[in-house]
Amino acid sequence: MAHPDQQPERPAASRRDFIKRTALGAAALGLPGRSIWQPSPLASPIKRRQEERLGYALVGLGNYATYQLAPALQQTQHCYLAGIVTGTPEKAERWKAQYNIPERNIYSYDTFDEIAGNPDIDIVYVVLPNSMHAEYTIRAAQAGKHVLSEKPMAISVAECEAMIAACEAANVHLGVGYRLHFEPHNREVMRIGQEKVFGNIKAVEAGYGFRIGDPAQWRLRKALAGGGALMDVGIYAIQAARYTTGEEPVSLTAQEVKTDPEKFAEVDETLFWQMKFPSGAVSTHTTTYAAYVERLYAAAERGWVELSPAYSYGGLAGRSSQGPLNFPQVYEQALQMDDFAECVATGRKHRASGEMGLQDMKIIEAIYRAVESGGSVEIG
Ligand code: NDP
């Protein structure tokens, strides 16, 4: 049920005023921000007045939008669910009733570009199959809307670059749905690694995988998914190595295994890869659609830190060589969407930026190249 405090009927002008009052202006988008690895404060708990919230439109009403993002938007402080974009008319009716979304804020993929003229929608959140992220991000930017794209940001480096260019040209913010940057256990690992709490990080082990079901789903079709487990969940392990070390890998090796070549005819099932970092740190990774794997372990000179489960929506737990990590479970998606809304309002760059998504895609492409070549590949 939509919370009564979240009714989307409100004068758009007041939110526009909020943006005008608080934005640093267009030039702020180009200002050098914090290092992408520097932890930024979690979204402030200050409760904004309802009319000051920014409006999100969710594009693609699948599992993630339905069971995570829409409920999260009922818990946010700085934003609310203002609109939807869907190719399924029954979903439009259901969401309209459930979240009290006005007819004028409901779009299909054909009418999507008309969103340009809708002052209720400030931010478009693209939650479509991976190969559609680039198109809808670029169309949203061209419509003058700020954009959050789900992970993976797109299915190629070229697409990520085109998305960044489109958002820069339109002077709108671009973020990627890396919710773990707003999750306290992962933030503690970032702090321990990047602030060298136990000395330099020497080795990272990070793996994420699950047993995928329905063989007909888009995640197994290359044209829609771009790749398999690596693009879908292996990307969390790449992120983990990057945010634990605070460094960018320079080279990698990779190996592929398929235990079910029929089901995984188009995309990767199980991949292992190993990365080298400028400091001499090394990382080793697993991703798979064949088994449940969810772990992050980092060994430093004088201690270690471990998370397991490490990347889920809840139930995360961890320990370090100094004892258990005692952090609250948070609503990752609510914090992430609030933070992006604050970025739009203040001009601050979102820490899960388009550049961060692009770098992950460079690593993904390098992993596929390393599987092909069987040797070490430079990441460029
Ligand atoms: P679903 O398959 O559940 O939903 C995708 C939705 O996209 C569909 O319901 C449909 O919505 C729309 N769509 C439009 N065209 C197509 C098409 N050709 N085939 C299939 N769907 C289409 O996927 P998820 O919600 O699980 O994933 C969506 C995105 O979110 C992915 O990029 C995924 O990586 C990401 N994700 C991120 C998570 C995170 O933790 N950050 C977790 C889960 C997913 P409609 O009927 O409204 O048109």
Side-chain angles (χ1 to χ4, degrees), residues 250-254 274 276 366 369-371 373-379:
V250 288
S251 65
L252 59 81
T253 47
Q274 306 78 33
K276 287 185 179 166
R369 282 203 307 279
V371 167
S373 75
S376 179
V377 162
E378 305 292 312
I379 302 160

Side-chain angles (χ1 to χ4, degrees), residues 61 63-64 86-88 91 109 130 133 150-151 179 218:
L61 308 182
N63 286 316
Y64 195 53
T86 177
T88 311
K91 290 184 190 171
Y109 302 115
N130 307 342
H133 294 180
E150 250 321 312
K151 45 58 56 179
R179 56 187 165 71
W218 66 261

Side-chain angles (χ1 to χ4, degrees), residues 47-59:
K47 180 99 173 160
R48 291 204 189 285
R49 291 208 320 276
Q50 182 181 342
E51 67 271 19
E52 291 178 333
R53 295 178 184 195
L54 299 189
Y56 269 85
L58 297 178
V59 187

Side-chain angles (χ1 to χ4, degrees), residues 176-374:
V176 181
Y178 290 137
R179 56 187 165 71
L180 294 174
H181 288 268
F182 307 93
E183 194 287 314
H185 297 79
N186 280 271
R187 290 173 66 90
E188 177 64 358
V189 174
M190 294 174 203
R191 188 187 72 84
I192 288 172
Q194 293 174 33
E195 295 182 10
K196 303 185 191 301
V197 173
F198 301 140
N200 290 312
I201 296 288
K202 304 300 288 181
V204 175
E205 294 178 7
Y208 200 11
F210 69 101
R211 262 184 89 74
I212 201 161
D214 180 10
Q217 64 185 286
W218 66 261
R219 280 181 167 79
L220 300 176
R221 302 280 81 84
K222 186 162 183 164
L224 284 166
L230 178 61
M231 287 258 181
D232 193 14
V233 286
I235 195 168
Y236 287 91
I238 294 171
Q239 274 276 303
R242 293 179 64 205
Y243 60 61
T244 304
T245 58
E247 295 180 53
E248 299 304 340
V250 288
S251 65
L252 59 81
T253 47
Q255 308 80 36
E256 177 170 21
V257 174
K258 270 188 197 185
T259 62
D260 188 343
E262 198 179 321
K263 185 168 184 179
F264 301 99
E266 295 186 25
V267 299
D268 48 282
E269 173 205 299
T270 301
L271 285 171
F272 307 100
W273 72 100
Q274 306 78 33
M275 305 200 286
K276 287 185 179 166
F277 293 81
S279 66
V282 291
S283 65
T284 181
H285 304 274
T286 303
T287 190
T288 180
Y289 271 157
Y292 173 70
V293 182
E294 187 178 350
R295 194 168 97 98
L296 167 55
Y297 184 93
E301 289 163 310
R302 296 185 298 279
W304 51 267
V305 61
E306 177 179 40
L307 298 183
S308 180
Y311 315 109
S312 300
Y313 308 143
L316 299 198
R319 57 214 69 82
S320 77
S321 41
Q322 291 182 335
L325 303 186
N326 293 315
F327 291 100
Q329 304 297 323
V330 299
Y331 213 146
E332 298 166 18
Q333 292 86 356
L335 292 174
Q336 169 208 330
M337 288 188 283
D338 260 344
D339 187 77
F340 190 71
E342 279 212 51
C343 288
V344 167
T346 62
R348 171 168 59 86
K349 192 161 176 145
H350 192 56
R351 66 195 317 270
S353 64
E355 288 75 15
M356 184 183 277
L358 166 64
Q359 178 63 13
D360 286 333
M361 196 52 57
K362 286 182 179 170
I363 295 169
I364 285 173
E365 288 193 353
I367 292 169
Y368 287 131
R369 282 203 307 279
V371 167
E372 287 292 309
S373 75

